[in-house]
Amino acid sequence: MSLLRGEELCKEFGGVRAVVNLSFAISPGLVYSIIGPNGAGKTTLLNLLTGIYVPSGGRIFFDGADLTGCAPHEFAKAGMARTFQNLQVFFNMSALENVMVGRYGRERCSLATALLHTPALARAERACREKAAELMRFVGLSEWLDSRADAMPYGALKRLEIARALATQPRMLLLDEPAAGLNPSEMLQIDELIGKLASRGNTIVLVEHNMRLVMGVSDQVLVLDYGRRLAEGATDEVRRDPRVIEAYLGSTVAAAH
């Protein structure tokens, strides 16, 4: 049974059709990558799948529940978490506090507990800090545990966003170009982190331009072109598909293959 399913999804902006009649299904435990040339509709699709955009047509199902038209917090409550192509970090907070924000929806303290600052609140906050620190260590940010977010380098901030998303205890993690703008060393760290997450059985949806990363970590790949499905399948199948080669490299190179 699929964990996430899209049926005939469409998204229009004025007269522009960014996603066109797109259907797919993502099974639990897979790394499912969405690729395509610039303007193919990748981030638009990710925004549809997390409630930031409402579809112009079609349906979105997560674990059998119809989430079409739901608000982003309802997608998060259902078990989806994402990162963003452009960093969404609280730079006026510490690195640890940024990750703790992700725990907000999982905390169970009552209003009275918070107002009275009871021992239960202190225990909950201590547990939240410990979990956030554990996640920072998991993503390779041990050296930044006591740092402010605005003191961290760009590559570390990318992993900080992933730690915050993991703090929500998601059933599916959606990553929007996690390797964009990284140097080779930082890219290797992202590659290794996705591999660690996959080895734990996490279900990951990855939007990425770096084909070496995509082909190295993915179980399934969906290729978009002008908002339509161009190809879908295992990485080796997609890598050899002449339509994919043409979309990326042009018809002359595709003919040579």
Side-chain angles (χ1 to χ4, degrees), residues 50-71:
T50 51
I52 294 175
Y53 293 159
V54 175
S56 305
R59 317 296 298 178
I60 299 169
F61 296 90
F62 187 74
D63 198 23
D66 189 346
L67 297 183
T68 311
C70 289

Side-chain angles (χ1 to χ4, degrees), residues 87-94 98 148-152 157:
L87 288 173
Q88 302 292 317
V89 173
F90 300 108
F91 287 106
N92 62 333
M93 298 167 62
S94 71
N98 266 272
R148 286 180 56 86
D150 59 8
M152 299 173 68
L157 289 170

Side-chain angles (χ1 to χ4, degrees), residues 161-175:
E161 275 205 320
I162 294 175
R164 184 178 61 197
L166 290 172
T168 69
Q169 299 177 264
R171 299 178 63 197
M172 176 175 283
L173 180 63
L174 301 97
L175 306 176

